[in-house]
Amino acid sequence: MLRVAGVVLLLLGMVAGFYLATASRAASPILLIASLAAHAVLFPVGEWLLVPPRRRPILAGVVLLSAALGVASAAYAGGSVAEPWLRGAHLAAGLASIAVALLPASLPTRVKPLWIGGLAAVALLAVLGVAARGHLSPWQPPRYQPVAAFRFLTATSAEQAGDSGFPAALQVSGATDCARFCHQAIHSALAESGHGRAASSPAVTAVRADFVRRRGGDAARWCDGCHAPTLESPSSSPSPTGGVGCAACHAATEVTALHGSASLKVEGLPTAGDWPAESRLWPASHARRLFQPELIRAPELCGSCHRKGYNLPQNEYRWMPGPDDFGEWQASRWSGRSLFAPGTPVAPKDCLGCHSVHGHSRVAPGALVFDAFLRPSNLPGTPAVPLEQGFKTGAGMPMTLDIVVENAGIGHAFPTGMPDLQESWLEVRAWDRAGRLIGANGVAPPRGDNHEDAHRYRLVALDRDARPVVHGDLDRMTAVQEWRRIEAGAADLARYELTVPASGLGRVDVRLLRRRRRDFARWAGEPERPPVVLATATFSNGAATPALAVEGERFRRYGIALAGVKDFPRAIQALLQATEGGAEQAELRLALGKLYLDQGDLLAAQEQFQRAGAAGTGSGAGSERSRAWAGAVQRRMGQPERAAELLEPLRARHPRDKQLLYELGHTYLALLRNREAAAAFQGMLNADPLDAAAHFGLMVSQQRLNLLTEARREETLYRLLSPPERQSRSVEARPLHVHRLVPSGGAGR
């Protein structure tokens, strides 16, 4: 009778376990809890009734091991039995316990109960240790995988890539979104944010429809990988936000690569419905798994989508770089990963240090800083002075007004977003001392887009017929005519000419405006909106403003802006003036050294970096930066031994500094330390697998090591990722244009 009851209980427990393994995520939580209890109780009780008494110690040990595997799987996966090997081991242990229960009672038992208990305890500790290690080990950014990167970056079809989701790199399974019952406020904010509308805004809808018309539906998986990631899984439910939902970040388990195109593995949230069973049964584990600080805050998670490029599947041409917020942040002072970044060092910030993922993000006040300098146009060599210091001018005297725009607080280049769809520009007005308008430039007219004299920040891309790309179809881009932007920590210069009347110059008003390009908005069916004012400043001639930086710091900023537009003589003049105005000497010497290095004057650069090192002794980051720049100069001077001596101690503290690794790699090549050179270039590619210079350096290193197959692979990637010889390199260059301040007030915009 007991054996019959045991068989019944065993079968019921097995049915409950089968239901747990196959139940839909939308199943009733009550049924899930009841099934869990039934499986945990009825299954071992049924076996206990079946097994002979002398074999019960063995059964107890096997059941204990099976339970440990089940608990470990639940702990590891945050409440869902999702780890395949743990789930399989749990099933195998369960089948072994059935075998122990059903073996004939006449078979001898030669295993001591004490040994069984000891082995089970050891197994329990080992399995829980593995689970804890998987749970507690810190998340690490992905490393460069040469074969996988080569396959993805050179593929033109899903068959070549070996991935049905290609051209997106997204790997998604069973993705759902968090129930509104639990996170209503966050859900509402997300639905109204840029992420929530990533697949439903008029601009995205129009651009995607045009892309599908030209390239086909399969190619649009590349768009959907970032704009609607949960739609990429056949078993997923659409994001209730219509774009990037909760699962895209909170269910992400791995960043698979750093080449963009949604390089994420998303394994889905464990529950859906109005009462998630997981959050009720394992709330701490639920929160820990879905808010992993190392992964959720990792800029690499954002970088899986926020670095954009157009490759063979999109343009049938070659790799063309697009907006790259992650790459710009990584090369900036905000990342803490670049000793060579422009601007003074600051406390590092990740993406969430500035951006609200669940809501809207705006340019913070003070992130963009203006300055103004004035000099007579007809007196060559006359140094410019800050506008507030006052400048005596005669009637009709031609003057040059230099407006400096510094990207002081944005963690990547300004402007961000899709640079071909937005346009930003400077609006400048000059007034005389009586309050009359002398001249203006960039004043937005009521209608029209043909005012080309304004100082603009935008991308002008050209297609194969040298026509501008105007409808968000950057996949047709084959060359860049203009791409003006300001790197994080850098400064740009806008130059204006004006004629001062007899009443004298009174004040200058500056505004930085931004809006959607009007012709694109009309094409996409978006309503026309007025420009947004991003920053504003007023400079009064002869009235010093205490809120502005000290004079020396202003001249340093002015010199950096002049160097950015290649006005080297005036840049040197401004930086030398800064030495007399109280600027921080280490940073000033670094700026002078970089300027001389850009001009090819290695001896002058070396002197300035040495003086920066002396001025920054004991200042931590400042001393390291001067050492890094000094090492770069030594390498260019043909002194690789000295360069290695300066650069090698920095590598341990800055393992993802691309420029540092570049300098080290070429230093090692000069020293014929080819294996170390290969390791340095591999480190560059760990940080950025899209860096063409790193692929070239690794190719040379592998050729010297006679790794010819690997070298050919790197050569292919180098040739794919490097820009064509005749392609404009104005991505980084900011050409100097001279604009006119005309009395009408409407010119330039």
Side-chain angles (χ1 to χ4, degrees):
M1 193 68 183
L2 289 177
R3 293 183 64 82
V4 173
V7 170
V8 172
L9 294 177
L10 180 64
L11 291 175
L12 289 175
M14 292 175 65
V15 170
F18 181 77
Y19 177 77
L20 277 175
T22 59
S24 165
R25 288 187 172 91
S28 167
I30 300 297
L31 282 177
L32 291 174
I33 295 172
S35 299
L36 178 63
H39 182 64
V41 175
L42 298 181
F43 189 90
V45 169
E47 291 182 315
W48 193 266
L49 294 176
L50 287 172
V51 74
R54 63 176 179 171
R55 197 169 288 137
R56 283 175 180 171
I58 302 175
L59 177 65
V62 178
V63 169
L64 181 60
L65 175 61
S66 177
L69 289 163
V71 170
S73 180
Y76 190 99
S80 62
V81 183
E83 283 298 309
W85 72 272
L86 282 172
R87 183 174 58 212
H90 175 71
L91 178 62
L95 294 175
S97 66
I98 295 176
V100 170
L102 297 181
L103 283 175
S106 59
L107 289 179
T109 302
R110 297 180 179 178
V111 182
K112 301 285 186 183
L114 184 61
W115 283 100
I116 287 292
L119 290 174
V122 170
L124 173 64
L125 293 174
V127 171
L128 290 178
V130 170
R133 183 176 182 274
H135 225 9
L136 299 177
S137 59
W139 177 83
Q140 295 292 331
R143 295 179 60 83
Y144 171 62
Q145 302 295 331
V147 175
F150 178 84
R151 188 168 190 176
F152 181 82
L153 292 173
T154 61
T156 58
S157 66
E159 292 74 21
Q160 290 180 358
D163 183 357
S164 60
F166 185 82
L170 185 69
Q171 303 173 34
V172 60
S173 59
T176 59
D177 276 281
C178 299
R180 302 185 186 192
F181 180 84
C182 292
H183 302 290
Q184 284 181 322
I186 293 177
H187 181 276
S188 299
L190 178 62
E192 295 300 320
S193 70
H195 280 148
R197 295 182 290 105
S200 57
S201 70
V204 173
T205 302
V207 171
R208 186 186 186 280
D210 180 64
F211 185 71
V212 170
R213 178 184 61 80
R214 291 182 293 104
R215 305 294 300 166
D218 289 343
R221 287 195 294 262
W222 177 69
C223 309
D224 297 336
C226 286
H227 285 268
T230 56
L231 294 182
E232 290 297 293
S233 170
S235 61
S236 70
S237 60
S239 163
T241 66
V244 180
C246 312
C249 297
H250 286 284
T253 59
E254 184 182 349
V255 179
T256 56
L258 293 180
H259 46 53
S261 299
S263 304
L264 272 180
K265 181 181 289 185
V266 179
E267 295 187 350
L269 299 175
T271 56
D274 289 341
W275 183 31
E278 180 202 11
S279 63
R280 295 295 187 259
L281 292 174
W282 298 280
S285 182
H286 174 81
R288 184 173 63 247
R289 188 180 76 84
L290 298 181
F291 195 81
Q292 307 171 60
E294 296 87 359
L295 180 56
I296 287 291
R297 295 200 68 94
E300 287 79 5
L301 178 66
C302 305
S304 60
C305 281
H306 286 274
R307 64 180 333 191
K308 196 178 183 89
Y310 304 85
N311 203 5
L312 303 173
Q314 289 83 48
N315 58 25
E316 296 180 341
Y317 175 51
R318 64 181 306 118
W319 172 267
M320 293 294 295
D324 185 5
D325 295 336
F326 171 77
E328 293 163 356
W329 168 85
Q330 186 164 247
S332 78
R333 58 182 180 161
W334 298 101
S335 70
R337 300 180 181 180
S338 178
L339 292 169
F340 298 84
T344 57
V346 292
K349 278 188 179 182
D350 55 28
C351 304
L352 297 184
C354 294
H355 293 276
S356 171
V357 177
H358 296 146
H360 295 280
S361 298
R362 303 295 185 195
V363 176
L368 298 165
V369 177
F370 294 125
D371 213 335
F373 292 81
L374 195 67
R375 62 179 173 84
S377 305
N378 59 349
L379 298 175
T382 304
V385 299
L387 187 59
E388 291 84 358
Q389 288 188 5
F391 204 105
K392 295 181 180 180
T393 58
M397 177 179 287
M399 301 295 294
T400 297
L401 174 67
D402 283 346
I403 301 296
V404 177
V405 187
E406 182 184 20
N407 182 358
I410 303 175
H412 40 73
F414 169 83
T416 186
M418 295 304 297
D420 62 318
L421 307 186
Q422 307 281 349
E423 55 183 355
S424 302
W425 71 96
L426 287 179
E427 178 189 270
V428 180
R429 289 184 173 94
W431 312 81
D432 67 6
R433 295 187 182 276
R436 293 184 293 266
L437 183 67
I438 299 174
N441 181 280
V443 178
R447 62 186 64 194
D449 285 307
N450 57 349
H451 298 268
E452 291 296 330
D453 188 47
H455 190 82
R456 302 184 184 213
Y457 297 96
R458 62 177 181 175
L459 166 65
V460 178
L462 303 178
D463 65 12
R464 300 183 188 200
D465 298 319
R467 294 175 300 188
V469 175
V470 295
H471 292 153
D473 45 347
L474 285 182
D475 59 288
R476 298 195 303 109
M477 172 175 61
T478 60
V480 173
Q481 177 175 300
E482 177 189 355
W483 194 348
R484 195 179 195 98
R485 50 188 174 175
I486 315 174
E487 298 85 357
D492 184 38
L493 185 127
R495 180 162 289 171
Y496 299 88
E497 297 287 349
L498 73 157
T499 301
V500 178
S503 54
L505 178 63
R507 78 174 195 272
V508 173
D509 296 332
V510 184
R511 296 200 303 173
L512 181 60
L513 306 174
R514 186 179 187 182
R515 73 177 175 193
R516 179 81 81 186
R517 260 192 33 243
R518 299 175 73 178
D519 54 347
F520 172 80
R522 287 191 292 267
W523 175 81
E526 286 187 332
E528 184 174 322
R529 296 182 176 89
V532 176
V533 179
L534 300 180
T536 182
T538 295
F539 302 91
S540 298
N541 188 17
T545 305
L548 292 175
V550 297
E551 181 177 318
E553 183 63 23
R554 296 181 66 185
F555 272 109
R556 186 180 72 86
R557 180 189 302 139
Y558 184 36
I560 291 173
L562 288 163
V565 296
K566 309 303 181 186
D567 190 349
F568 292 126
R570 293 194 179 278
I572 294 174
Q573 186 181 55
L575 291 175
L576 291 176
Q577 284 181 268
T579 62
E580 304 170 0
E584 202 279 315
Q585 289 298 309
E587 291 300 320
L588 176 59
R589 297 301 172 184
L590 283 174
L592 271 168
K594 287 184 279 187
L595 196 157
Y596 288 130
L597 188 60
D598 284 342
Q599 292 183 287
D601 191 342
L602 299 181
L603 290 175
Q606 180 186 33
E607 178 188 359
Q608 295 301 326
F609 293 140
Q610 288 174 347
R611 296 178 69 174
T617 299
S619 63
S623 178
E624 287 188 335
R625 294 176 74 213
S626 61
R627 185 186 184 104
W629 280 108
V633 172
Q634 291 294 325
R635 182 184 73 81
R636 287 161 176 78
M637 294 177 71
Q639 301 294 328
E641 296 87 353
R642 177 58 180 156
E645 181 182 333
L646 290 168
L647 297 173
E648 283 178 330
L650 302 175
R651 183 173 183 177
R653 282 179 43 81
H654 304 276
R656 299 183 72 81
D657 189 327
K658 284 173 46 182
Q659 185 65 27
L660 175 64
L661 292 169
Y662 174 86
E663 300 293 344
L664 269 172
H666 282 282
T667 297
Y668 291 143
L669 286 178
L671 293 170
L672 301 182
R673 294 161 60 178
N674 298 316
R675 292 191 183 279
E676 292 169 278
F681 292 121
Q682 171 83 30
M684 282 185 70
L685 293 170
N686 288 340
D688 185 0
L690 299 178
D691 193 300
H695 286 287
F696 180 84
L698 185 56
M699 174 196 75
V700 174
S701 304
Q702 290 171 341
Q703 286 173 342
R704 293 186 179 185
L705 294 169
N706 204 30
L707 301 173
L708 301 183
T709 300
E710 293 84 349
R712 283 194 292 270
R713 181 170 56 224
E714 296 304 323
E715 180 182 6
T716 301
L717 291 176
Y718 159 69
R719 294 187 181 279
L720 173 70
L721 297 173
S722 59
E725 291 180 1
R726 296 185 181 276
Q727 179 183 324
S728 169
R729 292 179 179 265
S730 60
V731 171
E732 301 302 333
R734 295 187 295 274
L736 178 61
H737 301 300
V738 180
H739 311 282
R740 288 287 303 171
L741 290 178
V742 296
S744 66
R749 190 75 200 143

